[in-house]
Amino acid sequence: MLLVGCSDSGSDDSGTDIRLPEGTKTDYSIYADETSGTPADGISFTTTGPWRATVAQTRAEGDASWVTVTPDHGDAAGDYTVTITLDVNTTGEDRAATVTIVCGATSITITVEQKGTTADGDVPSDVDEPLEPAYDQLVSEVLYTVGEEERSSIELSYDDQDRLILWRKISAEYVSEGQTETTVKTVEYAYDDGVVHIVCDDKTVYTVYLNAEGYAERVERNRDGEVLVTVYTYDEYNQLIHAEQDDEWEDYVWRDGNLVESRYGTIDGDSEILHFTYTDIENKETPDFICAWKEQTSWYEELAWANLLGIRNRSLLESRRGEGEWAYKDDFDVEYEANSQGYVLSATEYCLTADGERINPRTYDVSHVDSAGAK
């Protein structure tokens, strides 16, 4: 384990215009997540006149804007104390800078090295801890339209704790010219202590065991007496990072509070990687209807619509891109129209050609109801 290292150094400290107390250390080495480049009480010195401090980076390219000296000058002779503060180092690389304090013909130099990692060997993140965004409205209905004849709607009902209790999907699918076929799927939710019971009208039953934060950690799907178990894992910020069944799994990679990549694999060696980008629009949608509809983080839409799979994305989804020659067939872009409160009124999804041209737009029209209590 590295310790803060100090040594007597210094340029020409023998002049009379600026002096450090005997034994003052001027060489410091700290970890990436530490921001104090000098002792808590700073570095003291005495000058015979005005002085000024300058900062220069001495390792790697770039400027030294990550170093701040306070104060950085003095207008008269006297006793002064400066403190040096640093930004958290999120680059993953060691960096160093010098602070040079000049008074008249004399200068002193303080060297600060900041490691690329923490004491545990980690690279700090450059974003704040992801938080569940606040909301005061819930999605009550999403109408999905493709062309003039094919459409689906999802209707959502909640209890007095903003928990989903009824999910119903009505789909009108194209059969032939002028003819559609309508199907209805209904899902009901019941809540016990640490468990959610989900019953579908096709007799499929889900028993969802929740972790301490209220998110699914183990799901047992019972269909015609056959039980399939899915296990979900979250990081310290309640972001879903892994889902696993007997013969398949999926990993999720997050950045800046958004899911940016999913990696699917099976025991037979099949694999798929999807990449996601986001708008700069805050995601206030509860549930996140685009990601639930596209099953972005779930093999079971019944869980995604009920907000049982960790915190939602910080921003509204903009695009999905898969790897592989034919991935474009499932890729899409999304554009949004929101009201003055930031809630989505409608979204337009575009399919893509092999050349990336947008085609076949389909729309989501969104309705909301007031939440039982703002979060």
Side-chain angles (χ1 to χ4, degrees):
M1 182 177 184
L2 292 172
L3 300 176
V4 173
C6 303
S7 64
D8 286 273
S9 73
S11 41
D12 182 11
D13 294 344
S14 60
T16 58
D17 294 319
I18 182 170
R19 285 189 176 275
L20 290 170
E22 185 176 354
T24 299
K25 306 300 181 182
T26 58
D27 197 326
Y28 299 87
S29 179
I30 64 174
Y31 291 115
D33 55 344
E34 296 177 319
T35 57
S36 179
T38 57
D41 54 357
I43 293 179
S44 299
F45 55 90
T46 301
T47 71
T48 60
W51 62 274
R52 182 167 299 276
T54 58
V55 183
Q57 182 155 297
T58 60
R59 184 182 301 168
E61 297 181 358
D63 59 28
S65 58
W66 52 278
V67 181
T68 301
V69 182
T70 307
D72 63 354
H73 69 280
D75 297 326
D79 297 326
Y80 294 91
T81 298
V82 298
T83 58
I84 300 174
T85 55
L86 315 178
D87 294 341
V88 173
N89 186 1
T90 61
T91 67
E93 303 291 335
D94 293 355
R95 59 187 180 184
T98 57
V99 177
T100 302
I101 304 173
V102 178
C103 177
T106 308
S107 67
I108 58 175
T109 299
I110 302 163
T111 300
V112 179
E113 179 189 53
Q114 191 177 38
K115 304 297 183 183
T117 61
T118 67
D120 295 329
D122 299 322
V123 177
S125 170
D126 59 352
V127 297
D128 294 333
E129 174 182 333
L131 297 175
E132 181 75 25
Y135 66 85
D136 54 25
Q137 292 188 358
L138 302 167
V139 174
S140 60
E141 183 178 12
V142 181
L143 176 62
Y144 177 68
T145 306
V146 182
E148 297 182 355
E149 297 183 304
E150 193 166 330
R151 62 176 53 197
S152 300
S153 67
I154 289 181
E155 301 170 355
L156 307 170
S157 299
Y158 305 90
D159 64 11
D160 58 5
Q161 297 181 52
D162 291 343
R163 299 180 303 189
L164 183 64
I165 55 175
L166 180 64
W167 178 97
R168 182 168 63 177
K169 183 176 184 179
I170 305 172
S171 300
E173 299 182 357
Y174 176 82
V175 176
S176 60
E177 186 174 354
Q179 183 178 0
T180 59
E181 181 178 335
T182 300
T183 60
V184 179
K185 178 181 178 180
T186 301
V187 182
E188 296 181 344
Y189 299 78
Y191 299 84
D192 288 330
D193 187 17
V195 182
V196 182
H197 302 282
I198 304 174
V199 180
C200 307
D201 56 7
D202 65 357
K203 307 304 181 183
T204 300
V205 176
Y206 298 89
T207 303
V208 183
Y209 298 95
L210 307 179
N211 62 17
E213 303 300 325
Y215 299 118
E217 62 179 358
R218 177 184 172 88
V219 177
E220 298 174 358
R221 187 195 70 182
N222 189 324
R223 178 178 293 171
D224 297 328
E226 182 178 348
V227 178
L228 178 63
V229 175
T230 307
V231 177
Y232 295 97
T233 305
Y234 305 84
D235 65 13
E236 60 184 314
Y237 305 123
N238 297 314
Q239 297 172 143
L240 180 64
I241 58 174
H242 185 75
E244 184 172 351
Q245 294 177 352
D246 288 342
D247 57 359
E248 59 184 339
W249 52 266
E250 197 158 33
D251 286 333
Y252 305 100
V253 180
W254 295 74
R255 184 177 305 122
D256 296 343
N258 293 316
L259 175 66
V260 296
E261 185 175 290
S262 66
R263 304 167 181 170
Y264 171 83
T266 71
I267 59 174
D268 296 326
D270 298 329
S271 64
E272 180 182 38
I273 297 179
L274 299 177
H275 303 278
F276 307 96
T277 64
Y278 295 83
T279 70
D280 57 2
I281 306 171
E282 179 187 1
N283 180 15
K284 302 180 73 172
E285 300 306 309
T286 306
D288 189 337
F289 67 92
I290 287 285
C291 295
W293 202 296
K294 308 300 290 189
E295 297 183 30
Q296 185 181 11
T297 59
S298 171
W299 297 323
Y300 301 133
E301 62 179 342
E302 294 86 352
L303 299 179
W305 285 100
N307 297 309
L308 295 175
L309 294 171
I311 67 171
R312 65 189 186 274
N313 291 307
R314 182 191 299 269
S315 308
L316 289 176
L317 181 67
E318 181 177 55
S319 73
R320 180 180 76 180
R321 297 289 186 271
E323 297 187 1
E325 182 179 1
W326 306 107
Y328 72 89
K329 293 184 176 181
D330 294 318
D331 290 346
F332 60 83
D333 291 340
V334 189
E335 294 182 347
Y336 302 89
E337 179 185 350
N339 63 20
S340 59
Q341 296 174 291
Y343 291 96
V344 174
L345 297 173
S346 66
T348 303
E349 174 192 333
Y350 297 91
C351 300
L352 302 175
T353 67
D355 297 325
E357 179 184 355
R358 291 179 170 184
I359 59 172
N360 301 332
R362 55 275 317 267
T363 61
Y364 302 81
D365 293 306
V366 188
S367 300
H368 299 82
V369 294
D370 290 339
S371 162
K375 283 189 178 180

